[in-house]
């Protein structure tokens, strides 16, 4: 994994220096926070892409899901297992994750020697039953292979990205990365990951989520980041236990005092009545605004989400560790949960992130892939257990030329079946 403390000697960056390809084993049961929700829910079906992209981005090398699967009927039935695989296949493909290997070929519940005598979880993993009949998941792999073979283009170009998510020292980096990946997808933009000790990439939007501890970022890197904001970038910082020097001034706030919390923080947007939620946080920052504008408050009207003009850019501050807490909260991304993603949508809007295809459904993850200056592929994945509808509105310069996979629209609305996808080719008159 990522370096989580200075005492750890091996990092994703080190692995990237020594190998040509990295791999992940994204099992929900064995990966922290991935197994909190149903196995065909957005949290679990997005897990493989989130982890694989994290490894690829930080290492600078290609990465594939080299072992993935459902650990038998105690984990999920055959129908849910098939829908999980279908969603993960499209998700990995759309996010340039290079490969998908299911573990394993056959059920082995008839074997009478170790480890099959010892461990129940090793016996029912197969694509095929012990009588060699295929399970529904085997058909999903076969269908996806046929889909790839019939594509009207040789390979899917790398997706376009909109923001850089900087993972910092002192935090639970996987928890922060996982939630940030999901929230950005729900908010309609795509991120790439970077570690705080790596070269700062060019971007119009930087995320520093759930900052924690006293050594999260070096002085030099922080000042470099502030300079990017001065030149016009948007910066988002969240957290309640992180210490940043030369922050309150640029953020346009005064932290009057810090105190321990006795309960959860209640975040209430001043502009959007639908955006109200609770987040676990260790401390409360009592904030007085200087030049910042208040976007959300707590129940006692203490500012909790602010924005400030800094040079040509802006700095957003959310005084709770939303990302790390949501990763650890069951049901946080489901249809009945509060729209946490609207915090990220605010950032995207302020950074001027625009797409030829409007992304208007938090359970549809959309990626765009440029075939040329006048042609692009759009992949929309339904990460939900329910049918979802998405409106693909375009400006006059772009139009749908081919439906590669999925149902035809009714008017300008596409319906995507549960845990399924839509792939369209678009033509236009200019590059993104």
């Amino acid at each position: 994994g990522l370096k989580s403390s200075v005492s750890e000697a091996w990092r994703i960056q080190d692995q990237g220096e020594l190998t040509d390809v990295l791999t992940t084993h994204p099992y929900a049961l064995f990966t922290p926070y991935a197994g909190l929700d149903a196995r065909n829910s957005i949290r679990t079906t997005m897990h493989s892409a989130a982890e694989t992209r994290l490894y690829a981005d930080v290492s600078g090398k290609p990465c594939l899901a080299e072992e993935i699967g459902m650990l038998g009927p105690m984990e999920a039935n055959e129908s849910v297992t098939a829908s999980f695989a279908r969603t993960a296949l499209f998700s990995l493909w759309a996010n340039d994750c290079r490969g998908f290997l299911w573990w394993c070929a056959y059920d082995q519940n008839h074997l009478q020697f170790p480890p099959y005598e010892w461990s129940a979880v090793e016996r029912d993993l197969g694509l095929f039953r012990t009588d060699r009949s295929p399970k529904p998941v085997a058909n999903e792999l076969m269908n996806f292979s046929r889909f790839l073979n019939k594509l009207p283009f040789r390979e899917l170009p790398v997706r376009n990205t909109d923001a850089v998510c900087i993972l910092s020292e002192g935090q639970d980096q996987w928890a922060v990365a996982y939630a940030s990946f999901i929230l950005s997808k729900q908010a309609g933009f795509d991120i790439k990951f970077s570690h705080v000790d790596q070269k700062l990439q060019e971007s119009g939007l930087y995320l520093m989520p759930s900052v924690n501890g006293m050594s999260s970022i070096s002085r030099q890197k922080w000042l470099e980041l502030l300079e990017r904001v001065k030149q016009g970038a948007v910066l988002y910082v969240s957290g309640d236990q992180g210490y940043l020097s030369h922050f309150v001034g640029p953020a346009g706030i005064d932290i009057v005092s810090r105190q321990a919390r006795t309960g959860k923080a209640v975040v209430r947007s001043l502009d959007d009545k639908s955006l109200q939620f609770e987040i676990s946080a260790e401390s409360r920052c009592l904030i007085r605004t200087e030049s910042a504008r208040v976007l959300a408050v707590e129940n006692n009207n203490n500012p909790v989400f602010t924005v400030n003009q800094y040079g040509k850019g802006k700095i957003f501050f959310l005084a709770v560790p939303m990302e790390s807490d949501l990763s650890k909260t069951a049901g946080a991304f489901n249809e009945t949960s509060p729209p946490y993603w609207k915090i990220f949508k605010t950032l995207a809007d302020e950074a001027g992130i625009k797409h030829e295809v409007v992304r208007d459904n938090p359970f549809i993850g959309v990626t765009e892939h440029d075939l040329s200056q006048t042609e692009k592929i759009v992949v929309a994945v339904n990460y939900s257990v329910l049918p979802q509808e998405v409106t693909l509105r375009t400006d006059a310069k772009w139009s749908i030329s081919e439906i590669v996979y999925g149902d035809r629209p009714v008017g300008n609305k596409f319906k995507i079946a549960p845990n399924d996808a839509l792939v369209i080719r678009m033509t236009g008159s200019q590059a993104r």
Side-chain angles (χ1 to χ4, degrees):
L2 290 167
K3 181 181 70 173
S4 58
S5 72
V6 293
S7 63
E8 293 184 7
W10 198 257
R11 309 175 302 168
I12 291 177
Q13 296 98 307
D14 302 321
Q15 192 71 27
E17 290 180 6
L18 298 173
T19 58
D20 296 324
V21 178
L22 275 70
T23 65
T24 56
H25 289 195
Y27 289 104
L29 185 63
F30 301 139
T31 307
Y33 323 124
L36 295 180
D37 298 339
R39 297 305 187 251
N40 55 353
S41 70
I42 187 170
R43 176 192 295 269
T44 310
T45 54
M46 207 175 278
H47 165 206
S48 56
E51 186 177 354
T52 306
R53 277 267 42 100
L54 171 62
Y55 281 33
D57 289 345
V58 173
S59 71
K61 294 291 179 67
C63 186
L64 71 146
E66 183 260 347
E67 185 177 319
I68 188 172
M70 196 64 64
L71 303 173
M74 294 295 286
E75 186 83 357
N77 65 23
E78 291 187 352
S79 175
V80 168
T81 298
S83 62
F84 162 82
R86 182 172 60 249
T87 320
L89 281 162
F90 277 106
S91 182
L92 288 164
W93 178 68
N95 289 282
D96 190 38
C97 296
R98 304 300 179 96
F100 174 108
L101 279 74
W102 188 270
W103 186 266
C104 56
Y106 299 102
D107 281 353
Q108 297 162 27
N109 49 35
H110 62 295
L111 299 180
Q112 301 176 15
F113 49 83
Y116 310 105
E117 274 292 311
W118 299 336
S119 177
V121 81
E122 296 292 339
R123 299 174 193 147
D124 303 296
L125 309 173
L127 296 170
F128 298 87
R129 305 178 185 93
T130 52
D131 64 2
R132 298 307 196 249
S133 60
K135 297 179 183 179
V137 66
N139 294 327
E140 292 297 338
L141 269 66
M142 182 175 63
N143 291 339
F144 194 78
S145 179
R146 289 172 176 168
F147 158 75
L148 292 178
N149 289 334
K150 292 180 179 179
L151 286 173
F153 47 89
R154 184 172 180 179
E155 63 181 37
L156 186 68
V158 174
R159 67 186 179 137
N160 299 324
T161 56
D162 309 290
V164 173
C165 179
I166 301 172
L167 301 171
S168 53
E169 297 289 0
Q171 63 184 186
D172 183 337
Q173 293 167 333
W174 165 238
V176 173
Y178 194 11
S180 297
F181 190 85
I182 297 175
L183 290 169
S184 61
K185 287 285 189 184
Q186 291 191 303
F189 65 96
D190 278 285
I191 62 174
K192 49 188 172 182
F193 294 107
S194 180
H195 190 265
V196 72
D197 66 5
Q198 295 179 309
K199 181 179 179 181
L200 189 61
Q201 301 178 49
E202 291 288 342
S203 182
L205 174 59
Y206 295 97
L207 311 178
M208 272 193 65
S210 299
V211 173
N212 190 57
M214 300 180 185
S215 303
S216 58
I217 186 171
S218 71
R219 175 182 177 275
Q220 180 182 2
K221 185 60 64 66
W222 175 249
L223 293 178
E224 183 182 356
L225 192 53
L226 286 182
E227 185 59 33
R228 296 288 179 93
V229 179
K230 278 186 179 180
Q231 298 304 316
V234 171
L235 171 64
Y236 163 79
V237 176
S238 68
D240 69 326
Q241 291 289 296
Y243 283 74
L244 296 169
S245 61
H246 196 49
F247 173 75
V248 292
I253 60 173
D254 177 28
I255 297 179
V256 178
S257 184
R258 186 187 293 255
Q259 63 188 47
R261 286 189 181 273
T262 57
K264 289 188 175 183
V266 178
V267 178
R268 177 171 56 85
S269 169
L270 296 180
D271 299 323
D272 185 348
K273 292 183 179 180
S274 71
L275 184 56
Q276 179 170 317
F277 55 85
E278 294 184 353
I279 287 290
S280 294
E282 291 187 37
S283 64
R284 173 186 283 116
C285 295
L286 299 177
I287 293 174
R288 181 174 62 213
T289 57
E290 300 289 348
S291 55
R293 180 165 61 92
V294 178
L295 301 176
V297 296
E298 302 184 59
N299 280 344
N300 61 356
N301 288 322
N302 179 50
V304 69
F305 186 36
T306 61
V307 61
N308 189 53
Q309 188 79 36
Y310 186 68
K312 297 179 181 178
K314 291 187 178 180
I315 297 176
F316 287 82
F317 177 49
L318 179 65
V320 291
M322 178 177 71
E323 299 77 19
S324 62
D325 186 57
L326 294 184
S327 270
K328 302 167 187 176
T329 303
F333 307 106
N334 292 345
E335 286 82 355
T336 57
S337 65
Y340 305 102
W341 56 270
K342 287 188 174 183
I343 294 287
F344 274 36
K345 182 68 165 57
T346 300
L347 311 176
D349 291 343
E350 193 60 51
I353 293 174
K354 295 180 180 178
H355 295 273
E356 284 76 19
V357 173
V358 175
R359 310 170 185 199
D360 64 351
N361 186 321
F363 296 97
I364 304 290
V366 181
T367 53
E368 295 183 20
H369 313 258
D370 294 332
L371 288 172
S372 69
Q373 289 188 342
T374 59
E375 215 173 12
K376 69 168 71 262
I377 299 297
V378 176
V379 183
V381 180
N382 181 2
Y383 290 95
S384 169
V385 299
L386 300 174
Q388 296 290 338
E389 192 174 79
V390 61
T391 304
L392 301 184
R393 299 187 301 271
T394 63
D395 63 25
K397 296 175 182 177
W398 290 91
S399 62
I400 298 170
S401 59
E402 181 183 1
I403 298 175
V404 179
Y405 178 89
D407 296 330
R408 299 195 65 82
V410 177
N412 62 344
K413 294 183 182 295
F414 283 89
K415 285 189 176 181
I416 307 178
N419 299 113
D420 211 340
L422 169 73
V423 183
I424 57 177
R425 188 204 293 256
M426 302 190 73
T427 55
S429 59
Q430 63 182 26
R432 179 177 178 271

